[in-house]
Each structure stands twice: as structure tokens, then as C-alpha cells.
Amino acid sequence: MSARNTIKVATAQYPIDQLQTMDAARDKIARWVADAASQGAELMVFPEYGAMELSAIRGLQVAADVPASLDAVAETRGEIDALHA
């Protein structure tokens, strides 16, 4: 019988908030990761739509405009990718 490796994975039913700053985004993600890690998760999967809340940092007008919100989120990609890594 061969040994089995297992990994505990956490998935997020992630609520979209109207974040005011990038620091608020960092804090929110850190809280979610800390909670998952405290329950033994070694990997956490966030939904792809979670990044859309970052557009609110640029204002509600941007968040309400799909092309503008996509541009706003794209501008944060490097920083958010690094944070999730």
C-alpha cells in the first residue's frame, strides 16, 4: 500500500465590499487567509470575481462602470497577485 499525501484546501464564499483603500483590501485578504490557516488549510482558493471590489477604491462611479472597473482592477494586478502569492 502506498502512502497518501493530503492537503487541506479552503475555498471562500467571498463577499464583495465597498473597500475605500488598498490597505483595506490587504487587511481583508489577510483576515481570510489567517482564518483558513488557523483551521489547518494549506491552500486557499479565492473566486475570480473577488478582485472586482478593488474598483470601488477608485470611487463608486468607477465601480458602477464595467469598462472603468475592469481598468481599475487591472491597474492593481501586480500588487494583488503579489499579496495572494
Side-chain angles (χ1 to χ4, degrees), residues 6-21:
T6 60
I7 184 170
K8 188 169 188 178
V9 176
T11 58
Q13 185 174 343
Y14 191 80
I16 301 299
D17 294 320
Q18 290 181 355
L19 301 174
Q20 300 296 311
T21 65

Side-chain angles (χ1 to χ4, degrees), residues 9-61:
V9 176
T11 58
Q13 185 174 343
Y14 191 80
I16 301 299
D17 294 320
Q18 290 181 355
L19 301 174
Q20 300 296 311
T21 65
M22 188 58 77
D23 284 338
R26 281 189 212 94
D27 292 345
K28 181 178 178 181
I29 292 167
R31 283 191 310 272
W32 278 78
V33 171
D35 183 48
S38 74
Q39 296 179 53
E42 298 174 72
L43 175 69
M44 183 163 190
V45 180
F46 284 91
E48 71 281 357
Y49 66 79
M52 292 310 295
E53 71 184 347
L54 299 172
S55 65
I57 294 169
R58 299 264 309 274
L60 294 181
Q61 275 188 307

